[in-house]
Amino acid sequence: MVVKHGEWRTMPADPRKRLELLWGSSTPKRPGPRPKLTVDQIVATAIGIADAEGIEAVSMQRVATELGYTTMSLYRYVPSKEQLVEVMLDRAGEAPPPPGDDEQSWRSELENWVDGVWAMYLRHPWVLQVPITGAPSGPNQLAWFDAGLRPLVRAGLRDGDLMATILFLLGAVQQLAQLSVSMSTARTEAGVTMAETQAGYNAILQEFVSAERFPTLAKLTSAGVFAPTGLPDEGLDIDLKFGVQRVLDGIESYVQTGTS
Amino acid sequence: MVVKHGEWRTMPADPRKRLELLWGSSTPKRPGPRPKLTVDQIVATAIGIADAEGIEAVSMQRVATELGYTTMSLYRYVPSKEQLVEVMLDRAGEAPPPPGDDEQSWRSELENWVDGVWAMYLRHPWVLQVPITGAPSGPNQLAWFDAGLRPLVRAGLRDGDLMATILFLLGAVQQLAQLSVSMSTARTEAGVTMAETQAGYNAILQEFVSAERFPTLAKLTSAGVFAPTGLPDEGLDIDLKFGVQRVLDGIESYVQTGTS
DNA sequence: AGCTAATTGTGTATTGCCTACACGATTGGT
DNA sequence: ACCAATCGTGTAGGCAATACACAATTAGCT
């Protein structure tokens, strides 16, 4: 249906099939040899490779070889690499921790949720490198969503504001995690220490950030905000926590006053 | 220096070269034929393709053909595709609107900044699909940074909190824009209207979201939060505005009370 | 003016990737 | 026992990034 430059493109995947793949469907008995592989095996192997060597190391050949089969055999289970990745994304999200008791405040429950999401992205950094294809529809994705919505409901947010808030929070976490991971891997690949990286970045800023062109940034640079801190980690999680606290404060006052 | 599975990988790019490419450096007179192309031409062409057909349509061949040159000729100007994309990212960020007068409040200045970032991402959706490689170091990226920091300084935030806040906000904007764009393009590719997409998503949720597994989500679904609204646009920008307001409120109270 | 050496655009070739297609082997249902 | 669907595989096509060598070009020095 979709034509690009006169050439045929693969049809957009049948949404029904996509969901079957994501949620796993019971296949009725059919003739033919029994499958020796499973989608789960393939996905697990692919995730293993991605965890260890990054998403760019995941190719159909590589996954198949790792499993001891031919490249094409995978296509009996997965219609395309794109859809394999889609399933990988959901599976990598594991399951969020169980709801837990209602004893803790909604604030700390949400803080834990954020920490959980953050930790998950650090466990599977490649997840952040995969371009988003649409609204989340896998079971684990939805589970995380659900887990995040719960404390917000307890906080007293209205139905219409729930999605906005959770998407906003999730977005901030994802982007900060992505930045953190990318800086970390860039550092590792260059074989440089944290202090050196920061020093290098600081030097860049010193060189190019003139006070006329970037007044505020220049002030910060000379104030030493980007100077090497000596901390072992880059501490973007601290930045995240700060932002989350502001949001939580904002929600609290919003619920109390009811003002937009 | 970096070996993967016994094979050589390309050396991490010399940071000096990367910056020269990003900031543009004056080349001293050298022997040899005069270059007929410029980096700017190449980048502009590549951005044009990306704007029109998405980042996946940008290949060295494609860019070269568009310019009327051979594929390999581009490598005289750009060391690798990766670095070409890096420059594209910065150039696509254009320049943020000038600081403007100090008459408006820091809140509305920051709101405008958010709107500006949002609009930029909708103009160049492919920017969000490119995996981040490190901390921003291009001139336009830094300019946006600077523009966002200014109102925060006026708000009274401490130096150490400035970066955290702007990164947090930027992250949320980026991720929401990415989601918005991806839903929009997915819809276009499928040739479906907005209402149909939403109806489809609603149906998915109806089918798979059981109250036992996703209690909160199920409640929202049956409350009709995901039901087709009939709005022409998906309205994620409204969700964004809500989140931004909460953050601004949070910042305000933080500055006033000084509590963490 | 002539020589040298660097630089440009190009052609060729390598490697790796995704995936369409056809073929023989396998197996459930009738 | 047969039929037809399904499995794993081999082959092959198309595209992408990029290393390398070669001829043409040109600035600066003699």
Side-chain angles (χ1 to χ4, degrees):
Chain A
M1 284 309 200
V2 182
V3 182
K4 271 193 181 181
H5 274 255
E7 290 176 11
W8 285 96
R9 300 270 299 175
T10 31
M11 277 273 296
D14 177 11
R16 194 110 237 112
K17 289 284 177 191
R18 261 188 36 194
L19 293 176
E20 277 179 17
L21 212 60
L22 275 174
W23 291 83
S25 66
S26 51
T27 326
K29 278 294 182 186
R30 295 179 176 288
R34 306 173 207 133
K36 293 172 182 165
L37 283 173
T38 63
V39 174
D40 280 332
Q41 266 181 74
I42 296 173
V43 172
T45 307
I47 289 183
I49 298 172
D51 284 346
E53 303 176 36
I55 188 67
E56 76 278 0
V58 176
S59 74
M60 297 306 251
Q61 308 198 22
R62 179 70 193 283
V63 175
T65 306
E66 207 103 334
L67 284 164
Y69 287 82
T70 21
T71 308
M72 288 313 292
S73 65
L74 302 188
Y75 284 92
R76 295 286 174 198
Y77 301 88
V78 172
S80 72
K81 186 189 179 181
E82 198 177 336
Q83 295 211 26
L84 168 59
V85 172
E86 200 172 351
V87 182
M88 285 174 66
L89 281 189
D90 190 72
R91 293 288 189 282
E94 296 156 7
D101 34 14
D102 280 348
E103 298 172 9
Q104 53 182 344
S105 68
W106 66 268
R107 283 189 74 120
S108 68
E109 187 179 345
L110 203 53
E111 287 166 15
N112 288 337
W113 181 84
V114 168
D115 289 347
V117 176
W118 174 266
M120 190 255 282
Y121 285 131
L122 290 203
R123 252 198 310 278
H124 306 291
W126 50 272
V127 168
L128 297 159
Q129 310 252 11
V130 176
I132 294 194
T133 69
S137 23
N140 286 331
Q141 306 252 359
L142 291 186
W144 276 102
F145 247 79
D146 193 84
L149 288 174
R150 216 178 74 105
L152 288 180
V153 170
R154 288 211 288 146
L157 275 185
R158 266 177 279 140
D159 281 0
D161 299 331
L162 287 174
M163 268 297 146
T165 310
I166 208 68
L167 284 178
F168 188 88
L169 269 177
L170 188 60
V173 179
Q174 287 175 324
Q175 211 65 25
L176 281 193
Q178 182 166 359
L179 186 58
S180 175
V181 165
S182 74
M183 293 200 315
S184 162
T185 62
R187 177 156 39 87
T188 311
E189 280 181 10
V192 187
T193 77
M194 179 60 206
E196 285 173 298
T197 308
Q198 273 195 337
Y201 192 62
N202 196 36
I204 290 173
L205 294 182
Q206 296 271 4
E207 178 168 353
F208 289 111
V209 173
S210 61
E212 313 91 53
R213 238 178 123 176
F214 311 111
T216 314
L217 214 57
K219 218 174 296 174
L220 279 189
T221 307
S222 60
V225 174
F226 303 104
T229 58
L231 292 176
D233 208 274
E234 32 257 311
L236 274 184
D237 54 337
I238 296 185
D239 291 352
L240 174 64
K241 281 183 196 303
F242 179 82
V244 169
Q245 288 308 315
R246 292 322 122 232
V247 173
L248 297 191
D249 291 348
I251 292 174
E252 213 159 69
S253 84
Y254 174 72
V255 170
Q256 285 175 357
T257 68
T259 32
S260 159
Chain B
M1 283 307 202
V2 182
V3 182
K4 270 193 181 181
H5 273 255
E7 289 176 10
W8 285 95
R9 302 268 301 173
T10 31
M11 277 273 296
D14 177 10
R16 194 108 236 114
K17 289 282 176 192
R18 262 187 36 194
L19 292 177
E20 277 179 16
L21 212 59
L22 275 174
W23 291 83
S25 65
S26 52
T27 328
K29 278 292 183 188
R30 295 178 176 291
R34 307 173 204 134
K36 293 172 183 166
L37 283 173
T38 64
V39 174
D40 279 331
Q41 265 182 76
I42 296 173
V43 172
T45 306
I47 289 183
I49 298 172
D51 283 346
E53 304 175 38
I55 188 69
E56 75 278 1
V58 176
S59 72
M60 298 306 246
Q61 310 200 22
R62 180 69 193 283
V63 176
T65 307
E66 207 101 337
L67 284 164
Y69 287 82
T70 12
T71 307
M72 288 312 292
S73 65
L74 302 188
Y75 285 93
R76 294 289 173 197
Y77 301 86
V78 171
S80 72
K81 185 187 180 181
E82 197 177 337
Q83 295 211 26
L84 168 59
V85 172
E86 201 173 349
V87 182
M88 285 174 66
L89 281 190
D90 191 71
R91 293 289 187 281
E94 295 155 9
D101 33 14
D102 279 350
E103 298 172 9
Q104 53 182 345
S105 67
W106 66 268
R107 283 190 72 122
S108 68
E109 186 179 346
L110 203 52
E111 286 167 16
N112 288 337
W113 181 83
V114 168
D115 289 347
V117 176
W118 175 266
M120 190 255 283
Y121 285 132
L122 291 203
R123 252 198 310 277
H124 307 290
W126 50 271
V127 168
L128 298 158
Q129 310 253 12
V130 176
I132 295 194
T133 69
S137 21
N140 286 331
Q141 305 253 0
L142 290 187
W144 276 103
F145 246 80
D146 193 83
L149 288 173
R150 215 178 75 105
L152 288 179
V153 170
R154 288 211 287 145
L157 274 185
R158 265 175 280 140
D159 280 0
D161 298 331
L162 286 174
M163 268 296 147
T165 310
I166 207 67
L167 285 177
F168 188 87
L169 269 177
L170 188 60
V173 179
Q174 286 176 325
Q175 211 65 27
L176 281 193
Q178 181 165 2
L179 186 57
S180 175
V181 165
S182 74
M183 294 201 311
S184 161
T185 63
R187 177 155 40 85
T188 310
E189 280 182 9
V192 188
T193 78
M194 180 60 208
E196 286 173 298
T197 309
Q198 274 196 337
Y201 193 62
N202 197 36
I204 290 172
L205 294 181
Q206 296 271 5
E207 179 168 351
F208 288 111
V209 172
S210 62
E212 313 91 55
R213 241 179 119 175
F214 311 110
T216 314
L217 214 56
K219 219 174 296 175
L220 278 189
T221 307
S222 60
V225 174
F226 304 103
T229 58
L231 290 176
D233 208 274
E234 34 257 310
L236 274 183
D237 53 337
I238 296 185
D239 291 353
L240 174 63
K241 282 183 195 304
F242 179 84
V244 170
Q245 288 308 316
R246 293 321 122 233
V247 173
L248 297 192
D249 290 348
I251 292 173
E252 213 158 69
S253 85
Y254 174 73
V255 171
Q256 284 176 355
T257 68
T259 31
S260 159

